[in-house]
Amino acid sequence: MSHPAPPRKASFAPVTDARTRVLVCGSLPGDRSLAARQYYAHPQNQFWRLIAAVIARDDLPALPYEDRLAALIDARIGLWDAVASATRPGSSDAAIAHAEPNDLATLAATLPDLRAIAFNGATAHRLGLRQLGASAANWTILPLPSSSPLHTVGLRAKLPAWLALRLFLT
């Protein structure tokens, strides 16, 4: 008896503008995010709390989604994912298969103020570096501890690495 292939899941459009200085790349949105059509929609994902500390906006996690995105753009932070689409049962990065990459190098090259590309988690870092290839040397590359609830290190332990993003925003 054959099992049907898991459905193909696709990432969202990038959230950037010409002033973006830091591009934060995840791997591929999880099921909760895909259902909500929002980056980092799982209530236990720590992304919005971590980035709130980076930009000193304690109110950020409670804002409506569009206002959170606007606050990121105002702070010169962009969002995207390393994976354009993949098959994946559930939301674990370890289950990503048959991944089609997003063209990070082309997007990054269109951002004139870009200083750093930060990768939210080890899978995003591994896949993103592969996609950037030699062009990775054009920017500071920052591997970050994953904001995912599956990465069980606490917020306090993750925060110092995330706060390093501030160096590239001024």
Side-chain angles (χ1 to χ4, degrees), residues 5-169:
R8 194 145 193 96
K9 298 173 181 179
S11 67
F12 306 135
V15 176
T16 61
D17 75 5
R19 301 173 312 123
T20 298
R21 288 191 174 174
V22 173
L23 180 63
V24 178
C25 292
S27 54
L28 180 69
D31 289 346
R32 294 285 277 281
S33 294
L34 291 169
R37 303 288 310 147
Q38 297 180 2
Y39 281 103
Y40 305 105
H42 193 292
Q44 289 163 345
N45 191 298
Q46 298 168 329
F47 175 81
W48 293 109
R49 285 175 282 165
L50 289 163
I51 214 74
V54 170
I55 65 172
R57 287 281 309 260
D58 292 340
D59 65 331
L60 187 69
L63 292 176
Y65 180 68
E66 293 303 322
D67 293 344
R68 281 183 267 154
L69 293 182
L72 286 186
I73 291 296
D74 287 346
R76 304 180 87 165
I77 296 173
L79 291 178
W80 208 22
D81 288 303
V83 177
S85 69
T87 57
R88 180 183 64 196
S91 298
S92 171
D93 280 358
I96 292 173
H98 312 291
E100 293 292 329
N102 272 322
D103 191 348
L104 294 178
T106 296
L107 176 67
T110 68
L111 302 172
D113 290 347
L114 189 65
R115 296 179 176 179
I117 301 173
F119 292 103
N120 186 356
T123 299
H125 183 231
R126 178 176 48 82
L127 296 174
L129 278 182
R130 183 182 310 152
Q131 290 150 231
L132 288 170
S135 73
N138 295 329
W139 306 280
T140 299
I141 303 297
L142 299 166
L144 298 172
S146 176
S147 66
S148 168
L150 298 175
H151 184 63
T152 57
V153 175
L155 183 84
R156 189 167 285 177
K158 296 175 185 181
L159 194 54
W162 282 78
L163 289 175
L165 298 179
R166 289 179 173 172
L167 300 172
F168 303 94
L169 296 175

